[in-house]
Amino acid sequence: MHIIHLAPEIAPIAKVGGLADVVYGLSKAQKKAGHTCTIILPKYASMNTEELDYLEKLPETVHSTFEGKQYSNSIWKGSLENLDCLFIEPHTEHAFFDREQQYGYDDDIARFLYFCRAALELLCQRQIEVDILHLHDWQSAIAAPLYYDTFQAGMLKPCGICYTIHNIAYQGHCSPNELYRAGLDGHYYLQADKLQDPHDPNCINLMKGGIVYSNHVNTVSPSYAQEVLTLEGGKGLDGVLHHHQDKFSGVLNGIDLEAWNPAKDSRITYPYSRFSEKKKNKKALQKELGMSVEERPLVAVISRLVEQKGVHLMERGIHETLARGGQFIVLGNGPDRNIMHRFYELQRQYAENPNIRFLFAYNETLSHKLYAAADLLLIPSLFEPCGLTQMIGLRYGTIPIVRETGGLADTIFDIDYSIRPEKERYGFSFRHPDFGGVDSALHRALDLWENDQKKWKQLGRRGMKADFSWNISSLSYQAIYDKIAVKSLATGRGASV
């Protein structure tokens, strides 16, 4: 089976968040299972090409249409741990991807409309045989209606389309005129059974297009799949998902056990395979960051600093941990100036305290070191489609404290309150996103660290043995692919329009 992932990110070369890790981990698992797997991405100026085994510019160009004009695109081919990656470099006056960041621009809609159209032109002009076209989040959602209404006739054979919603909060809203730029009749799609936004009749919703026109839609955990069917969790698309519930499911993400392996991790100071060896990494990071080198409980936040992640509960965790004599490290950044201002104020407030450090950046090496050093990982999300941080933390023997939502609720079962077997209880959790909830879970965790090291070590060793690999998840995707591939071959299409 030839699987094409049309994605805006892939770790570690073009990563903003967890979506990049999912595309990378899932593709590797599919390749290992014997499938041909190709990832198509924009050629960002900011991407880390050093992580590629090779990168070469292909001799032929691909032509695509945008705003009624025809543009040429260079296609680059690279290999990422034996995964084939194709990168599209547009030659337009817009410099769509020749920028410092991957997202966050006023013309993001136009940038990814262009990318999706060019990617489908690539598949058609190169006559690349595709069995499954797997789309990710709003950035590639328009490829589903583009395929069925414009490009299907030019493909070698019909293909099935799987659409994964990594975070329903970001949907890609635009005017109908934006679709005209990509060669689509914007007002034709401004209908309730197509791309019309459920709450703004004059607005196009790109994510809705992915839902309506794909053969199968999934989110990245079973609990999140239930949450997005509610008025609060669906962010306006709950009704659409209910209507298409027969092709909707939740598939829990996994992590790449090779990339996240403390025994072979070259980024950490002291690679280790036993829980007792974590202490050396803790001391090393304390020294590196100029912290007090003492045996205190170290709590970490490794996160984007955005409202979704429960930043007010992070702040509460900082104050409570320091009041208990513990240490705290925040590694993360965010686009919201007000949120960042709050954290800069905390940094100034604790400037002379040797037990806390703020690292306002995304740094892959530091994240590995922090997973290896920390005792506890605080993840107080207001909502969380899946979350990989808690799984990675367990792999490194770092105990998660999570809010029971989405994928966090599907992976971390409280050692005190869960009805699951003890061997499946990996950390601490709380239900309500308030100070009382986070205080209860945090203080129970600190109490265990301080008063029962035997049980603490048992918990750490249990977490390191937990299997959250892609093995099971990739089988779930395989079942989806098999079903929709058969349907697309039988009918020539699978969209429920």
Side-chain angles (χ1 to χ4, degrees):
M1 184 175 280
H2 189 186
I3 303 159
I4 298 283
H5 288 276
L6 198 60
E9 303 179 31
I10 187 171
I13 59 173
K15 176 176 175 176
V16 174
L19 187 157
D21 293 298
V22 172
V23 173
Y24 171 69
L26 177 58
S27 300
K28 278 187 68 176
Q30 292 169 338
K31 177 89 172 180
K32 188 176 180 181
H35 299 292
T36 301
C37 203
T38 304
I39 303 94
I40 302 179
L41 306 99
K43 188 177 185 297
Y44 300 106
S46 59
M47 71 185 193
N48 181 12
T49 57
E50 293 180 1
E51 297 287 348
L52 292 168
D53 300 324
Y54 73 86
L55 179 65
E56 62 180 4
K57 187 177 182 179
L58 299 181
E60 304 91 355
T61 59
V62 166
H63 297 281
S64 63
T65 302
F66 196 71
E67 297 178 329
K69 303 176 185 177
Q70 193 170 72
Y71 294 97
S72 64
N73 302 273
S74 294
I75 307 300
W76 295 72
K77 185 176 182 179
S79 177
L80 178 64
E81 294 190 31
N82 294 319
L83 287 173
D84 289 332
C85 299
L86 297 176
F87 303 95
I88 296 176
E89 180 186 18
H91 298 297
T92 74
E93 64 272 24
H94 305 291
F96 278 143
F97 303 109
D98 188 19
R99 306 181 187 184
E100 293 182 0
Q101 302 177 108
Q102 288 169 238
Y103 311 139
Y105 298 99
D106 292 339
D107 62 345
D108 275 355
I109 295 289
R111 296 168 70 223
F112 288 100
L113 287 176
Y114 184 99
F115 164 66
C116 289
R117 172 121 197 170
L120 291 172
E121 295 279 13
L122 166 63
L123 296 176
C124 286
Q125 290 176 35
R126 294 287 176 85
Q127 287 291 277
I128 297 174
E129 187 169 315
V130 183
D131 295 297
I132 297 294
L133 184 61
H134 195 145
L135 311 178
H136 297 269
D137 262 355
W138 74 262
Q139 290 91 342
S140 57
I142 196 63
L146 268 172
Y147 168 77
Y148 281 115
D149 293 344
T150 305
F151 286 93
Q152 186 178 22
M155 301 285 280
L156 278 178
K157 66 176 187 179
C159 69
I161 297 182
C162 179
Y163 178 55
T164 298
I165 300 172
H166 295 265
N167 192 334
I168 205 168
Y170 304 97
Q171 298 178 7
H173 295 95
C174 64
S175 73
N177 291 333
E178 290 285 349
L179 295 191
Y180 284 104
R181 303 174 76 180
L184 294 174
D185 183 343
H187 285 86
Y188 168 77
Y189 290 98
L190 195 66
Q191 299 182 46
D193 61 346
K194 293 182 175 61
L195 275 66
Q196 185 181 51
D197 187 79
H199 296 288
D200 185 345
N202 299 312
C203 181
I204 291 290
N205 186 309
L206 297 181
M207 180 172 281
K208 183 183 175 183
I211 295 169
V212 171
Y213 280 83
S214 294
N215 304 104
H216 192 88
V217 183
N218 75 283
T219 60
V220 289
S221 71
S223 288
Y224 191 59
Q226 294 302 310
E227 290 172 9
V228 297
L229 291 171
T230 67
L231 183 62
E232 180 182 2
K235 308 297 181 185
L237 289 177
D238 49 294
V240 178
L241 289 170
H242 272 288
H243 184 72
H244 294 279
Q245 201 166 356
D246 60 330
K247 63 173 186 179
F248 178 58
S249 67
V251 179
L252 187 68
N253 284 337
I255 59 171
D256 182 350
L257 299 188
E258 295 177 12
W260 299 104
N261 183 356
K264 298 180 180 180
D265 193 338
S266 61
R267 297 178 187 269
I268 66 178
T269 308
Y270 300 105
Y272 61 97
S273 57
R274 294 186 298 177
F275 179 73
S276 59
E277 297 172 330
K278 276 179 64 72
K279 287 185 178 181
K280 292 189 294 185
N281 286 286
K282 184 176 179 178
K283 289 182 179 179
L285 188 61
Q286 287 170 331
K287 291 178 181 178
E288 180 179 337
L289 299 180
M291 300 178 74
S292 177
V293 183
E294 300 178 65
E295 188 50 27
R296 299 167 179 257
L298 173 59
V299 183
V301 161
I302 304 173
S303 174
R304 289 183 298 117
L305 301 179
V306 294
E307 203 66 42
Q308 170 203 336
K309 300 296 182 178
V311 289
H312 66 297
L313 300 178
M314 293 179 191
E315 294 179 51
R316 179 70 172 195
I318 289 170
H319 298 312
E320 292 297 304
T321 299
L322 295 178
R324 285 283 297 262
Q327 295 185 321
F328 210 106
I329 298 176
V330 176
L331 173 61
N333 210 335
D336 189 308
R337 292 183 179 180
N338 292 328
I339 290 175
M340 291 310 301
H341 177 73
R342 287 157 60 182
F343 277 93
Y344 287 130
E345 284 297 316
L346 283 170
Q347 186 181 43
R348 281 189 283 271
Q349 178 181 342
Y350 290 112
E352 303 301 320
N353 192 322
N355 292 313
I356 184 168
R357 290 293 181 266
F358 295 89
L359 310 169
F360 296 128
Y362 175 77
N363 186 303
E364 190 72 27
T365 296
L366 269 177
S367 71
H368 283 245
K369 288 183 175 182
L370 192 46
Y371 282 120
D375 297 297
L376 290 159
L377 196 60
L378 180 60
I379 314 170
S381 302
L382 303 184
F383 67 94
E384 192 62 66
C386 179
L388 302 178
T389 308
Q390 76 278 16
M391 303 181 201
I392 298 169
L394 290 175
R395 180 81 165 139
Y396 284 71
T398 304
I399 311 303
I401 303 171
V402 308
R403 171 157 182 261
E404 295 174 17
T405 183
L408 299 174
D410 290 333
T411 52
I412 304 302
F413 306 108
D414 195 283
I415 67 167
D416 295 322
Y417 300 125
S418 176
I419 61 173
R420 302 290 284 252
E422 186 176 9
K423 65 180 181 180
E424 297 177 4
R425 302 181 197 175
Y426 299 122
F428 300 86
S429 65
F430 59 99
R431 182 167 298 175
H432 302 292
D434 53 29
F435 288 166
V438 73
D439 285 356
S440 172
L442 177 62
H443 286 293
R444 285 189 293 115
L446 294 174
D447 287 343
L448 184 64
W449 188 94
E450 292 172 357
N451 303 320
D452 195 342
Q453 274 292 308
K454 181 180 179 180
K455 188 174 180 180
W456 179 266
K457 292 173 183 176
Q458 290 173 344
L459 183 59
R461 288 192 290 266
R462 186 188 308 158
M464 291 181 71
K465 294 177 182 177
D467 184 4
F468 287 109
S469 69
W470 274 104
N471 295 337
I472 297 174
S473 301
S474 63
L475 291 176
S476 298
Y477 277 109
Q478 182 64 56
I480 292 170
Y481 291 171
D482 289 341
K483 181 179 178 180
I484 65 178
V486 169
K487 183 176 181 182
S488 65
L489 285 171
T491 65
R493 64 173 297 168
S496 302
V497 184

